[in-house]
Amino acid sequence: MLLASLTGTAASLALGIPGARAQGQLGAPGSANLITDVPGLMVGQADDPKVRTGVTVILPDGRATCAVDVRGGGPGTRETDALDSWNLVHSVDAVVLSGGSVYGLASADGVAAWLGARKRGYGLSTTPGVPVSPIVPTAILYDLANKGDKNWGINPPYRDLGLRAVEAASRSFKLGTAGAGYGAGAGALKGGIGSASFVTKDGISVGAIVAVNSLGSPVVPGTKNFWAGALEIGKEFGGLGASSAPVYGEDWGQAKANPGARANTTIACIATDMDLDIDQMKRVTMMAQDGLARAIRPIHSPFDGDVVFGLSTAKQKSQGPSADFLVARIGALAADVLSRAVARGVYEATLPAGMEGKTWATL
């Protein structure tokens, strides 16, 4: 059998999540209901209220197997080709989600410098004076048109934001208007950083973190119910549950009315503590992308750059079911957890001072 754990169930009962005892028979959210409930992970964030942008860093305790799945029509990424299983490097030192469109890719420079200074990275040589090469895959979203001060000349703030974010890495972090989600918009609503977790009855931990900046809407047209409502556990994003409202044709509800190319994008990272190889993590990550389709409508459009990373911290070894069945379980869980994370990011989002728009709370 897989290693057993009651952490998620016990935590949910302690938090008073409705139905937690019954849910506990099948598992429950981890103690914090964050991706950091997956053993071996920390998250750091930094943002700039003047610029209305920010950076989120997912930092494993050690090198972690990583895969990526790209489905949006306008992605902006760094080092994703390195994650193909037929290439040399199958593990990473950190994953970065950033605002700033193409400028935000520089956030990985700050993270790589921090890691390299600590000799954390991939290296073929042990010769003194030859630095290692930190592997830091990165995805960016477009937040340049949110009326923040982007007059940065030749010094965009993203390298510094990346450095500040990784230095702030811990097991707890803020949801909503923070990090890469600081200046984000989810359709016509304020977007943000969301996260969620789940621990199965036999101790598998799965978590997700997402910066929601989508063309599509996270709520059912004419309601405040999240598309992900049927997956809600307790009242983690308002307690409204699933909507019974019918949806017709091309009614996109709270989607952005006049989308522009590269003006959107939802970027995410899912994680598990099970020891999966690069090909297994690829399948899990592909399955996890469907969590976005359950939480945002429409999704993966030509105007979105949707990217999902998948990490294995390999803190647990499988000793029971077949590997393929384990992959199916984790992939299905990852999709559900990512859907919940999307809703939590929008539910927790607030408008920064002076920023126009509406939040879920003001619908």
Side-chain angles (χ1 to χ4, degrees):
M1 293 179 63
L2 297 170
L3 297 177
S5 171
L6 295 178
T7 302
T9 302
S12 296
L13 290 168
L15 291 171
I17 293 177
R21 189 173 303 279
Q23 292 165 1
Q25 296 173 8
L26 298 174
S31 59
N33 201 14
L34 300 172
I35 192 174
T36 48
D37 288 325
V38 175
L41 287 182
M42 295 192 293
V43 168
Q45 301 194 109
D47 38 64
D48 187 327
K50 181 179 179 181
V51 182
R52 293 182 181 169
T53 194
V55 172
T56 297
V57 177
I58 300 94
L59 182 67
D61 292 348
R63 307 205 77 222
T65 299
C66 185
V68 65
D69 190 61
V70 181
R71 295 196 194 177
T77 59
R78 165 176 166 155
E79 291 194 306
T80 50
D81 283 351
L83 304 181
D84 287 330
S85 63
W86 53 83
N87 289 331
L88 178 65
V89 180
H90 294 171
S91 55
V92 303
D93 300 287
V95 170
V96 178
L97 311 178
S98 179
S101 188
V102 295
Y103 301 99
L105 293 173
S107 58
D109 293 343
V111 177
W114 185 91
L115 289 162
R118 288 156 179 79
K119 298 182 170 26
R120 294 180 59 174
Y122 182 83
L124 288 172
S125 173
T126 58
T127 304
V130 178
V132 295
S133 298
I135 308 300
V136 187
T138 302
I140 50 89
L141 56 79
Y142 184 99
D143 59 4
L144 300 182
N146 61 14
K147 299 185 179 180
D149 182 2
K150 308 300 193 296
N151 295 312
W152 50 55
I154 62 170
N155 294 300
Y158 293 97
R159 185 186 186 279
D160 177 63
L161 284 168
L163 184 58
R164 285 172 47 200
V166 72
E167 288 178 337
S170 70
R171 305 293 176 190
S172 62
F173 57 94
K174 181 182 176 182
L175 299 184
T177 304
Y182 189 93
L189 304 178
K190 179 69 180 74
I193 282 285
S195 190
S197 70
F198 196 82
V199 181
T200 68
K201 64 178 181 180
D202 50 354
I204 301 172
S205 296
V206 178
I209 186 169
V210 59
V212 190
N213 189 60
S214 53
L215 160 71
S217 171
V219 297
V220 178
T223 79
K224 291 186 68 169
N225 298 75
F226 286 99
W227 284 110
L231 300 170
E232 185 174 16
I233 299 177
K235 297 182 179 180
E236 61 185 347
F237 41 88
L240 297 183
S243 170
S244 61
V247 179
Y248 299 101
E250 294 189 287
D251 182 1
W252 291 356
Q254 295 292 329
K256 290 175 182 172
N258 296 297
R262 297 186 178 181
N264 309 290
T265 295
T266 298
I267 49 180
C269 182
I270 59 94
T272 181
D273 59 346
M274 296 307 299
D275 186 9
L276 302 182
D277 65 26
I278 185 68
D279 289 319
Q280 292 169 326
M281 278 310 306
K282 175 67 174 182
R283 178 55 56 186
V284 166
T285 308
M286 291 171 66
M287 292 179 70
Q289 275 272 21
D290 292 335
L292 296 183
R294 297 172 193 165
I296 300 169
R297 178 176 177 268
I299 193 65
H300 305 145
S301 78
F303 309 106
D304 292 287
D306 308 318
V307 177
V308 177
F309 295 103
L311 290 173
S312 165
T313 63
K315 297 296 184 181
Q316 291 199 67
K317 307 288 184 181
S318 174
Q319 300 176 14
S322 71
D324 291 338
F325 184 69
L326 181 62
V327 167
R329 287 183 67 195
I330 295 174
L333 285 167
D336 290 351
V337 171
L338 182 52
S339 292
R340 291 166 47 219
V342 167
R344 291 193 81 199
V346 177
Y347 174 72
E348 297 285 351
T350 57
L351 287 174
M355 188 173 183
E356 299 177 354
K358 54 186 173 181
T359 65
W360 178 87
T362 61
L363 267 180

